[in-house]
């Protein structure tokens, strides 16, 4: 295919490292993690940021793993500021203290997005797999307030914490967050291994949706609430990442450029590396970005569907995780021949236990 390039990407997700002190059972990083020795250095990230700005990117999301596992994080943030990118640090907060946060703010950091596993300490530490983690997160949130940086709270929700959604909303208000992301787990990668322990019931989902609807109205002007629902109760798929290769570009710790952060889970791809090609070249011409871009690749019933340029075929990673073929219609669509797989998953989860298979991350160096 030689498709015309889409408009410039809206954002760049820079995955600085796969190292992380948490062991979240819903981790979205690939099963095979990049080692620290393979990570791009700060100077290379600076070049990537300049190329992103020239391409038209405005927003930069610094993620991981845990980006604060990198001692050169202030240098990386400074590169982003010099490139003119709005930088958002996506962090667990447990490796950051007031001094490190001040250094990041001085380097030009614009925004902090803090993840929490629950509103209740015992449950939060159990889910994250780190004793004392929740208390450290709360202390870090106070430091963000003191530094006068905008704060978004990200709450990944599932069967084992969804009933405390009202408390999570209260926590966002208490911590001074301007935005709360209520993000249901998406089931691919490591999360797929724990689906039976994480997938909420329909009753939980409906109650959560009612809670979010009421809170949005009651807290209008005080707290913005984003709500990402699970696909397992859907009849139409979401436009994952705004469509494959249409809105976002992600770069892995080792430099692989991806249409979405989870795309490394898909076999049969040779994702280009920013060490070998510019972002502009990758975005416009790489086969990996063009493979599922647009609509010409779509099978039926997608190709003839009136929604094809709204959902762009849904999630390729989910299609692969559930059917074994990334080119299949996303099973979240009621018209998919594989839609019944979602019903089977919901049935299995209803009778499953609550035990997790934790993700064991690479060891964080003591000086990080």
């Amino acid at each position: 295919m030689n498709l015309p390039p889409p408009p410039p990407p809206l954002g760049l997700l820079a995955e600085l490292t796969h190292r992380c002190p948490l062991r979240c059972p819903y981790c979205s990083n690939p099963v095979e993690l990049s080692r620290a020795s393979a990570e791009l250095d700060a100077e290379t990230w600076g070049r990537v940021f300049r190329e992103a700005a020239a391409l038209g990117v405005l927003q930069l999301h610094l993620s991981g793993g845990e980006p604060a596992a990198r001692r050169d994080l202030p240098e990386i943030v400074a590169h982003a500021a010099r490139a003119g990118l709005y930088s958002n640090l996506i962090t667990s907060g447990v490796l950051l203290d007031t001094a490190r946060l001040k250094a990041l703010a001085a380097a030009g950091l614009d925004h902090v997005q803090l993840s929490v596993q629950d509103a209740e300490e015992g449950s939060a530490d159990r889910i994250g797999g780190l004793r004392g983690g929740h208390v450290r997160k709360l202390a870090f949130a106070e430091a963000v307030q003191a530094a006068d940086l905008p704060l978004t709270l990200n709450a990944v929700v599932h069967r084992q914490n969804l009933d405390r959604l009202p408390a999570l909303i209260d926590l966002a208000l208490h911590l001074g967050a301007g935005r709360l992301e209520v993000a249901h787990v998406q089931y691919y990668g490591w999360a797929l291994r724990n689906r039976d322990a994480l997938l909420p019931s329909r009753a939980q989902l409906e109650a959560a949706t009612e809670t979010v609807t009421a809170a949005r109205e009651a807290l209008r002007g005080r707290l913005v609430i984003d709500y990402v629902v699970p696909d397992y109760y859907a009849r139409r798929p979401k436009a994952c990442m705004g469509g494959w290769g249409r809105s976002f570009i992600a770069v892995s710790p080792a430099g692989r450029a991806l249409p979405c952060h989870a795309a490394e889970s898909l076999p049969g791809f040779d994702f280009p590396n920013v060490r070998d090609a510019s972002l502009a070249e990758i975005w416009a011409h790489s086969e990996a970005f063009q493979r599922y871009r647009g609509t010409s690749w779509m099978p039926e019933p997608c190709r003839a569907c009136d929604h094809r340029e709204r959902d762009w075929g849904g999630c390729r990673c989910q299609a692969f995780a559930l059917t074994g073929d990334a080119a299949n219609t996303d099973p979240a669509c009621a018209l998919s021949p594989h839609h019944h797989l979602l019903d089977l998953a919901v049935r299995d989860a209803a009778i499953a236990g609550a035990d997790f298979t934790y993700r064991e991350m690479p060891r964080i160096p003591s000086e990080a």
Side-chain angles (χ1 to χ4, degrees), residues 31-114:
V31 173
E32 184 176 346
L33 300 173
S34 297
R35 294 185 175 274
S37 60
E39 294 170 2
L40 299 181
D41 60 27
E43 287 297 322
T44 303
W45 277 117
R47 174 180 61 78
V48 171
F49 297 161
R50 293 190 296 273
E51 291 177 356
L55 184 57
V57 169
L58 298 176
Q59 294 185 345
L60 170 66
H61 304 280
L62 301 170
S63 182
E66 171 48 59
R70 292 192 58 144
R71 289 175 292 171
D72 58 356
L73 183 58
E75 182 182 352
I76 292 172
V77 170
H79 279 300
R82 286 193 290 269
L85 297 174
Y86 183 93
S87 57
N88 172 39
L89 178 66
I90 303 173
T91 178
S92 67
V94 300
L95 296 182
L96 289 166
D97 55 20
T98 300
R100 291 198 75 191
L101 183 62
K102 286 182 177 179
L104 295 174
L109 183 66
D110 293 301
H111 185 275
V112 174
Q113 179 174 317
L114 174 64

Side-chain angles (χ1 to χ4, degrees), residues 171-196:
L171 180 62
L173 292 169
H174 172 72
L175 296 178
R179 181 181 295 273
L180 170 66
E181 291 187 355
V182 179
H184 282 267
V185 172
Q186 303 300 301
Y187 296 100
Y188 41 72
W190 201 263
L192 189 62
R193 298 189 181 190
N194 286 287
R195 184 178 63 188
D196 286 352

Side-chain angles (χ1 to χ4, degrees), residues 105-135:
L109 183 66
D110 293 301
H111 185 275
V112 174
Q113 179 174 317
L114 174 64
S115 67
V116 292
Q117 279 67 44
D118 205 332
E120 193 275 320
E121 180 182 351
S123 176
D125 288 353
R126 173 181 170 265
I127 293 168
L130 179 67
R131 182 176 297 179
H134 187 67
V135 170

Side-chain angles (χ1 to χ4, degrees), residues 53-295:
L55 184 57
V57 169
L58 298 176
Q59 294 185 345
L60 170 66
H61 304 280
L62 301 170
S63 182
E66 171 48 59
R70 292 192 58 144
R71 289 175 292 171
D72 58 356
L73 183 58
E75 182 182 352
I76 292 172
V77 170
H79 279 300
R82 286 193 290 269
L85 297 174
Y86 183 93
S87 57
N88 172 39
L89 178 66
I90 303 173
T91 178
S92 67
V94 300
L95 296 182
L96 289 166
D97 55 20
T98 300
R100 291 198 75 191
L101 183 62
K102 286 182 177 179
L104 295 174
L109 183 66
D110 293 301
H111 185 275
V112 174
Q113 179 174 317
L114 174 64
S115 67
V116 292
Q117 279 67 44
D118 205 332
E120 193 275 320
E121 180 182 351
S123 176
D125 288 353
R126 173 181 170 265
I127 293 168
L130 179 67
R131 182 176 297 179
H134 187 67
V135 170
R136 289 154 72 178
K137 288 171 182 283
L138 300 186
F140 173 70
E142 291 180 1
V144 174
Q145 275 192 297
D148 200 28
L149 283 168
L151 174 66
T152 290
L153 202 66
N154 175 258
V156 179
V157 294
H158 45 80
R159 189 172 86 210
Q160 300 197 36
N161 66 5
L162 194 53
D163 294 336
R164 286 181 290 279
L165 180 55
L168 284 164
I169 295 172
D170 289 342
L171 180 62
L173 292 169
H174 172 72
L175 296 178
R179 181 181 295 273
L180 170 66
E181 291 187 355
V182 179
H184 282 267
V185 172
Q186 303 300 301
Y187 296 100
Y188 41 72
W190 201 263
L192 189 62
R193 298 189 181 190
N194 286 287
R195 184 178 63 188
D196 286 352
L198 293 168
L199 188 63
S201 68
R202 180 176 291 276
Q204 281 184 304
L205 176 60
E206 290 175 351
T209 302
E210 291 176 2
T211 296
V212 168
T213 300
R216 280 173 167 169
E217 182 62 30
L219 300 174
R220 190 184 303 274
R222 294 179 60 196
L223 181 68
V224 176
I225 302 178
D226 295 331
Y227 188 47
V228 180
V229 299
D231 289 331
Y232 278 58
Y233 295 101
R235 295 191 63 78
R236 292 286 181 189
K238 296 190 293 286
C240 185
M241 302 295 288
W244 179 278
R246 295 190 58 82
S247 299
F248 292 92
I249 185 168
V251 178
S252 77
R256 284 181 288 275
L258 309 165
C260 82
H261 65 283
E264 284 186 284
S265 67
L266 302 179
F269 278 89
D270 182 16
F271 289 109
N273 197 296
V274 296
R275 290 186 171 102
D276 307 316
S278 70
L279 278 189
E281 174 68 19
I282 291 169
W283 181 253
H285 302 298
S286 69
E287 189 277 334
F289 275 73
Q290 295 204 53
R291 188 179 300 188
Y292 298 126
R293 182 179 276 163
T295 60

